[in-house]
Amino acid sequence: RDMRAIIEVLLEWGPRLAANAPAGYGADTGALVSRVRQALGRAITQQIFEDARECKVMGLDAHLELVLTQALNSSGDMEPTLAENLLHEMGLAIQNQEGQGLPTALVVSPILRAGLARYFMGRFPHLAVLANTAIPSDRISRVNVVAAPGPKIDGPNGTRPGSQSGR
């Protein structure tokens, strides 16, 4: 990876984040990692999408992202039924991506990235979980599959929802 970019980000953001930390604590390592991943976005996406200008990714329903953010921020745990449904739906979404010959990349908010990457690692080791801030602005991002466990699984006429909306 680009060590120069990593060091530059750490030198720039380490002191800023440490200044905002409670007395006796250093910079938030999660926030530093997020800044580094954002700076390395081009290298990260190059590894996953190669030279494709358009990144066809999986995404989570906005309501689901909100529920997951609240769960991870409050207790750090997901309700068991939600967790089971999420694993099932991600499995289906991954099969869909692979069936189309596309990389298996899930794009989520930066707040969820690390937690979901750890959560999915054992079950889906080839799944790349990216923060939406890691995709460079000159790459077009298209959400190909929306994983949304719960009542929003079926779309109109019983079809699976799949957005083709731009980033």
Side-chain angles (χ1 to χ4, degrees):
R1 302 257 176 160
D2 185 355
M3 284 304 283
R4 181 183 177 113
I6 293 169
I7 291 168
E8 286 175 1
V9 170
L10 294 176
L11 288 173
E12 178 182 351
W13 285 97
R16 288 186 195 183
L17 294 170
N20 293 331
Y25 291 91
D28 176 0
T29 54
L32 281 173
V33 169
S34 181
R35 294 288 179 173
V36 168
R37 288 182 65 84
Q38 187 174 354
L40 296 177
R42 187 163 309 287
I44 292 169
T45 56
Q46 176 69 27
Q47 208 173 20
I48 298 166
F49 301 103
E50 297 174 351
D51 293 326
R53 179 151 157 65
E54 185 174 86
C55 303
K56 292 185 178 177
V57 299
M58 295 175 285
L60 299 178
D61 175 79
H63 177 72
L64 175 60
E65 276 214 19
L66 178 63
V67 168
L68 291 173
T69 300
Q70 290 170 345
L72 294 175
N73 284 337
S74 62
S75 67
D77 293 326
M78 276 187 261
E79 189 268 326
T81 304
L82 173 63
E84 189 176 305
N85 287 341
L86 181 59
L87 285 174
H88 175 75
E89 288 299 312
M90 280 309 304
L92 294 175
I94 289 169
Q95 285 178 344
N96 186 25
Q97 285 286 104
E98 290 172 340
Q100 295 179 50
L102 299 171
T104 55
L106 173 66
V107 175
V108 296
S109 69
I111 294 168
L112 290 175
R113 196 212 65 79
L116 287 179
R118 279 190 303 274
Y119 180 70
F120 290 131
M121 187 183 311
R123 185 81 176 263
F124 309 115
H126 300 295
L127 175 65
V129 182
L130 305 172
N132 52 16
T133 56
I135 298 177
S137 59
D138 65 339
R139 284 208 171 191
I140 299 168
S141 176
R142 298 256 181 231
V143 177
N144 193 36
V145 178
V146 176
K152 293 188 174 187
I153 290 173
D154 290 328
N157 303 321
T159 60
R160 281 213 173 282
S163 169
Q164 292 295 322
S165 60
R167 177 172 181 245

